[in-house]
Amino acid sequence: MNRIDLQLLRDTLLAALREDIGPGDITSRSTIPTGLRGVARIMAKQALTVSGLPIAGEVIRLVDRDCDFLVLVSDGTTVPDRSALAEIRGPACSLLTAERTLLNLLQRMSGIATLTRRYVDRVQGTKARIVDTRKTAPGLRALDKYAVTCGGGMNHRTGLFDGVLIKNNHLAFHVSPVDSIRAARSQLGHLVKIEIEVHHLDDLPNVIEAGADVVLLDNFTPDQTRQAVELAGGRVPLESSGGITLENVRQYAEAGVDYISIGALTHSVPAVDIHMRIAPE
Amino acid sequence: MNRIDLQLLRDTLLAALREDIGPGDITSRSTIPTGLRGVARIMAKQALTVSGLPIAGEVIRLVDRDCDFLVLVSDGTTVPDRSALAEIRGPACSLLTAERTLLNLLQRMSGIATLTRRYVDRVQGTKARIVDTRKTAPGLRALDKYAVTCGGGMNHRTGLFDGVLIKNNHLAFHVSPVDSIRAARSQLGHLVKIEIEVHHLDDLPNVIEAGADVVLLDNFTPDQTRQAVELAGGRVPLESSGGITLENVRQYAEAGVDYISIGALTHSVPAVDIHMRIAPE
Amino acid sequence: MNRIDLQLLRDTLLAALREDIGPGDITSRSTIPTGLRGVARIMAKQALTVSGLPIAGEVIRLVDRDCDFLVLVSDGTTVPDRSALAEIRGPACSLLTAERTLLNLLQRMSGIATLTRRYVDRVQGTKARIVDTRKTAPGLRALDKYAVTCGGGMNHRTGLFDGVLIKNNHLAFHVSPVDSIRAARSQLGHLVKIEIEVHHLDDLPNVIEAGADVVLLDNFTPDQTRQAVELAGGRVPLESSGGITLENVRQYAEAGVDYISIGALTHSVPAVDIHMRIAPE
Amino acid sequence: MNRIDLQLLRDTLLAALREDIGPGDITSRSTIPTGLRGVARIMAKQALTVSGLPIAGEVIRLVDRDCDFLVLVSDGTTVPDRSALAEIRGPACSLLTAERTLLNLLQRMSGIATLTRRYVDRVQGTKARIVDTRKTAPGLRALDKYAVTCGGGMNHRTGLFDGVLIKNNHLAFHVSPVDSIRAARSQLGHLVKIEIEVHHLDDLPNVIEAGADVVLLDNFTPDQTRQAVELAGGRVPLESSGGITLENVRQYAEAGVDYISIGALTHSVPAVDIHMRIAPE
Amino acid sequence: MNRIDLQLLRDTLLAALREDIGPGDITSRSTIPTGLRGVARIMAKQALTVSGLPIAGEVIRLVDRDCDFLVLVSDGTTVPDRSALAEIRGPACSLLTAERTLLNLLQRMSGIATLTRRYVDRVQGTKARIVDTRKTAPGLRALDKYAVTCGGGMNHRTGLFDGVLIKNNHLAFHVSPVDSIRAARSQLGHLVKIEIEVHHLDDLPNVIEAGADVVLLDNFTPDQTRQAVELAGGRVPLESSGGITLENVRQYAEAGVDYISIGALTHSVPAVDIHMRIAPE
Amino acid sequence: MNRIDLQLLRDTLLAALREDIGPGDITSRSTIPTGLRGVARIMAKQALTVSGLPIAGEVIRLVDRDCDFLVLVSDGTTVPDRSALAEIRGPACSLLTAERTLLNLLQRMSGIATLTRRYVDRVQGTKARIVDTRKTAPGLRALDKYAVTCGGGMNHRTGLFDGVLIKNNHLAFHVSPVDSIRAARSQLGHLVKIEIEVHHLDDLPNVIEAGADVVLLDNFTPDQTRQAVELAGGRVPLESSGGITLENVRQYAEAGVDYISIGALTHSVPAVDIHMRIAPE
């Protein structure tokens, strides 16, 4: 997350603040005297991999420029339970108003990073890379994908615009996978790669010959995956997808694929436990 | 979800479409001939409680007004595995482009409804209502809260603006909970209720006397909860919160509280499995 | 008006500036040499209650960050004719360009505060609070309601989303007021209060028994109001509304109601006279 | 108000709806069963000059396309008390949700038209035209100015961008009014007219000779105005401004000026009384 | 370009940055280590008239506030080949990301200024002013028109809202040009001038008598133009338009017209050659 | 241009309309009676390749839904002088108001298509494809790139986000081109190709070995280009860029490169001549 990214995320963060604050935080307004200052400590309440602290800093800045945000660990770090992640000093009312939006972002993003890190750790020592999918929370694609990299994962394409992936639903309109690859190739720019989904071992040689740049093995068992790796013989990178869990991910990695994509990294995120304790300064 | 709500959600849905489509769906553009029409069937691939079909209809309408969206079940219905949920007919390219955004919404919303329904079923026969929190995905507050109602849950306040909840972080700036309630009451409009969080049984009588409209029992055990219910003697509604799971929720309900709020309903949502199968019309 | 509120008002203020400045202030551009600096003094030209100075500061900041805005009195203060309210120093051209938008805001907001203050003064010594309505200038709800508080008034609900008020037009769809209250109660969250409008004394006991939290006496005479206060016997707060003027407001207050809502506070605002005199620095 | 204007006003109207509806109309949602239809009758409750009915139609369309809006009188018509202005048929919930925003617009716009009409009637038979100013409600410039024309008034420039008016605050930076006119003329395009404010009769001949296209007589008495008219001798149009009321406006008109501008038309608008009665269809 | 203009252009510049950067500059992100700083030198690679440096500064500021932008020449200056125009110091990644958007703006704007300057130089010594038209790149009206002034040209009206120009397509709905002028005059405010297009010498006297403020001679030859100038006898300013090139523009100027408008200034802009060389600081 | 693209372009087109129409088209409003209908014929006034008709249709629809837009030729067609391109029927005022924005778009887009077509025709019979660059008008990237395809050209990457192109300014931060490729490869997703710019023949073998997917020959002469083609021996596609004109483009194509990118296609567009003639229906 560099400054450019934060600037481009501004509308997303403002929308999140607006839906929570609306016409005003009536609890803080009515209970906290104007002028009081506070200090907020953001703490991990479980072991986790951190993601989203620069985002949290941007949120607090959007709420009130008079807050000082001190980051205590870097995104991507795995910290033990009870670690301090950041400290904010500023008007008490601003800290209280920003709290929930800020935590909602941090808990989701660190949840994604933490889950990704577990998958990445499971395949350690193999050449397989853990990659994400487009199954992100609507509106949070950029944040979700950034969180995956904090957990050591790799990003697949961002959206429909920066990579071709021909899936079953596209193939329904073609006589053969080979036919669809040819149609795509004739229309696409020279910096575009074509990945295609196959569901049977038999389709693999054809799509490789037709010029696929990457092949996705959809819902293959680890055994079928091993056969596919042999059949491909290193001519194209292979990606496993579908039905892969923390339990079986290493089997896929050991079968020799290059990439393993996991929808659950972003579509079924367990929030990690992060608290914010606010006190008078 | 009536028409007004859908109209007000338009920017949220457009943002979701834009982050996925960006400058264009290069796979569909390059593989699907213009003019081809298709039919998409949206199917549950597990038992689930449905939420989000009107939203899905709005998404497809934003992508292409020439699509016909046929809803087959109502939001809030619990359906068995392999149930057809909706059918869309229209230009094949539009169906393919809308697919992922539409499913990301449906899978998250139905995931929330399904999880909520499980909690609601657990407390059946008691007077306890399952309520949500503000721990929603940033930008998706309205959708997440609507999904909770589809699962039979009840909505807590929408945001910081439509209800007062005095929490620990506010109390840090006051000499006593009673003091904070008085400060709030003197400033607030006559349609505003005040809820306050207590952490010890001892605080309960004081806040009731100070005029709290609702009391939240934070991280009480079921036993402590039962004592609180007795102590309150029906003078104010009580809400349990913190550390409540599918395993222990019924104990809280049987302890006699009025409301049980569960952050996990929206902060740790397992997406349910919903597919979209597209074929030539 | 704290920083968070100002940040959330940014789009409203920019829209006001844009409709006035459009593609550029051709008078100032063509008559004022670049580089000239000026000082602007904002003066009350009549006795008034001030509202909107922080907003004015935000407007000038949006036009040009190089301006220094010095507030001389606090919002809510009642000042005599010829009082200096604020002083701005900066590029002459920026002062001239911002002048009208800034004054339009200040004159309306201080107009509302001044009018509110007159009503509040009239009921001094009684327990009645003067409250506003939703009859605000479209797009200016937040500013109008803030101005009411500067005049010593209290805000009713902000909009349709943060409080229930069942009015005649809703009752047309119900067999009785009691029926409508029951319908509402069964659907609403536990932090929501229900206010209902009654037009006849006879309806009062029923709606109180049905559980209304507040009752609005619509177009009651002071006499009828006194009877209603007796009949209610303190069981619910009462609000008077309709046909109330500076002339008769005290009669309503003395009849013993808790709240008196006045649409004219915001729907028929006489702008107060505030000038801005600009000179070379 | 033609279609183009309505399209360009869309953001203004949506902002007005959003600030009132926010996350939802909880009263209508909880009391009105889905599926019920209603009919709303918009009635004048006093004699008034109508303005804003096409805007009202656009508002209801933004809330719900399923509503039919039937206009019964044209904008600009003066109607007696108890006249029906429009009728809307559609889902009861949509009518109730749109009511307040729609009336706020209609009451303000018709208030402006009604007040303008009174001024216009007062000067009937003279050549003087009643014109508005830039003292409009922030964000509502286009609506306020349109309403003035419905009352028979004429629009002055729209904003700072479409006409030059050199005022006292500009003159503070020049050695003489003549100097400022020359500076402006040398920089401006050939379709731009220059109006300049004078405060003393003595300045009039000079600014006319310096090439002013229109001269504004600021805070002149009717007597001084008559002298100015003579002195100008028809060489430039003259505009009176400052301190003009319904009581003295005819004196200014009879003094022979061409235009009389009245800030109060838009800065101190008394809302007219318009009701909306909703009933089951 | 003063600060107000830059503020109002913010959305235009952000849209330009967003369409280029989208979800991120993957080249710079993947090749430039975080923390590296660089210095960028913006150089003219041909003789040109500069326009757009303040805009370039705003672009870099939108990308990263940590960049220092040093302007080396003023907008409107004509510089020789190999002149340094500006220098930027900041994070290397930010410089690389901003480069193309910044250059696209500078090259177009300086291209317009350079072309305008050539026309202006051609008519030197005559009274004719070179003016622009509304034939600008959609979305870039303000920038294109500002660039014209940097080249010594004068701006015609900004858009349809700040000046009347009755063209052939309007006349098709009137019995005569005179008729159209009368219709317009009766409706327009007193600061609005009326320009009308004539296609034949014969129409000139009529439109002058009907009160046109300016007359546009559409597609007249230089000879016809001379006759028109004589016929008008200084009663109204004349503008030549249509078919005017660098080759024949002086003939029109010498024919005695006041204004010569050239669509090509903004609709057929040859970008000038400007480079940005970036190196480690 | 399918429906999805038009929907996503809506904000761009509205911004273009808004900058021209602003608070209203005062010429048409004051000269054209309400209710008059007209027919507009859009005609080519020179031979040209058409681009932008669906966009024009969207513009007219945004101005007024009551207009019927009849396309007479398809985008991409090359038509002779005096060809009719489209016809619009609707309220006369709407046609007049939309005219300029619509023509500005059509003339630029068809200008790009026409220029592209000339380049494409020049290289006919060779394998070289003409491709565009990111040197587009700020805000119009999508329209400019679409217009290139209408002229038979191919699109390079859309922006910084959908393809890697390592240029001189990136190489300034690396010890060697090979080093930069390795840095990039280690960070990028598996669907991303890497193109790198070389300035000397000697660099070519190294970057090919380092794994560049495409090599851009920057400012090579045709002779050097021929040598590069031989040296590359078909291992990677080659792209020529810099200093290529209609005069020498065929020499580059015959030298055997795969792609020739031309900045002038979009940065120096001569608008083609297209008229709109409006008459009463």
Side-chain angles (χ1 to χ4, degrees), chain B residues 50-274:
Chain B
V50 180
S51 178
L53 286 176
I55 299 289
E58 188 69 9
V59 165
I60 197 73
R61 208 184 70 92
L62 284 172
V63 165
D64 190 340
R65 282 163 198 277
D66 266 16
C67 292
D68 292 315
F69 184 78
L70 183 65
V71 174
L72 301 174
V73 298
S74 302
D75 271 19
T77 314
T78 299
V79 300
D81 185 7
R82 296 182 186 281
S83 303
L85 306 181
E87 194 178 283
I88 320 173
R89 288 170 186 275
C93 200
S94 300
L95 301 177
L96 286 157
T97 299
E99 178 190 4
R100 186 75 262 141
T101 300
L102 194 152
L103 286 180
N104 283 350
L105 285 159
L106 265 186
Q107 290 183 262
R108 176 176 176 86
M109 293 176 71
S110 299
I112 292 171
T114 302
L115 183 57
T116 304
R117 171 53 59 198
R118 295 182 66 193
Y119 276 95
V120 170
D121 287 349
R122 289 284 164 98
V123 303
Q124 212 179 348
T126 71
K127 71 167 174 181
R129 302 285 312 262
I130 299 297
V131 303
D132 55 25
T133 66
R134 288 164 47 239
K135 298 178 180 175
T136 54
L140 300 178
R141 177 74 47 91
L143 298 177
D144 281 9
K145 292 225 155 207
Y146 166 75
V148 166
T149 67
C150 293
M154 194 181 94
N155 291 331
H156 210 297
R157 59 177 176 167
T158 309
L160 294 167
F161 51 88
D162 66 338
V164 165
L165 176 45
I166 303 173
K167 310 185 79 171
N168 242 14
N169 278 336
H170 299 96
L171 294 176
F173 295 85
H174 287 274
V175 295
S176 73
V178 169
D179 172 52
S180 74
I181 293 172
R182 287 199 187 124
R185 186 65 76 204
S186 72
Q187 307 244 359
L188 291 165
H190 53 306
L191 287 189
V192 180
K193 284 194 181 169
I194 296 177
E195 179 168 8
I196 187 166
E197 197 176 277
V198 298
H199 299 80
H200 304 286
L201 213 50
D202 304 352
D203 291 332
L204 188 56
N206 296 330
V207 300
I208 294 177
E209 266 155 55
D213 295 300
V214 184
V215 180
L216 185 148
L217 312 171
D218 191 43
N219 279 306
F220 277 46
T221 62
D223 262 6
Q224 294 169 321
T225 304
R226 203 165 304 118
Q227 290 176 272
V229 170
E230 267 172 48
L231 201 54
R235 284 173 294 168
V236 294
L238 297 178
E239 173 179 343
S240 288
S241 187
I244 299 167
T245 61
L246 278 169
E247 282 61 47
N248 64 18
V249 66
R250 190 162 185 94
Q251 291 176 263
Y252 284 90
E254 291 178 343
V257 291
D258 302 278
Y259 307 104
I260 301 173
S261 58
I262 315 273
L265 295 185
T266 52
H267 76 46
S268 296
V269 185
V272 288
D273 204 358
I274 300 179

Side-chain angles (χ1 to χ4, degrees), chain C residues 100, chain D residues 112-113 116 119-120 129-136 140-159 162 165 167 195 216 239-242 259-267 269, chain E residues 189-191:
Chain C
R100 186 74 262 142
Chain D
I112 292 172
T116 304
Y119 277 96
V120 169
R129 304 284 312 262
I130 300 297
V131 304
D132 56 24
T133 65
R134 286 164 47 238
K135 298 178 179 176
T136 52
L140 300 177
R141 177 73 47 91
L143 297 176
D144 281 8
K145 292 224 153 209
Y146 166 75
V148 166
T149 68
C150 293
M154 193 181 93
N155 291 331
H156 209 299
R157 58 177 178 166
T158 309
D162 67 338
L165 177 44
K167 310 184 80 171
E195 180 169 5
L216 185 148
E239 174 179 343
S240 288
S241 187
Y259 307 104
I260 301 174
S261 58
I262 315 274
L265 295 186
T266 52
H267 76 47
V269 186
Chain E
H190 53 307
L191 286 190

Side-chain angles (χ1 to χ4, degrees), chain E residues 138, chain F residues 42-43 48-57 69 75 85-86 100-113 271-272 274-276:
Chain F
I42 301 178
M43 306 285 296
L48 54 81
T49 300
V50 180
S51 178
L53 287 175
I55 298 290
F69 185 77
D75 272 18
L85 306 182
R100 186 75 262 144
T101 300
L102 193 152
L103 287 179
N104 283 351
L105 284 159
L106 265 186
Q107 290 183 260
R108 177 178 176 85
M109 291 176 72
S110 298
I112 292 172
V272 288
I274 300 178
H275 276 215
M276 185 160 151

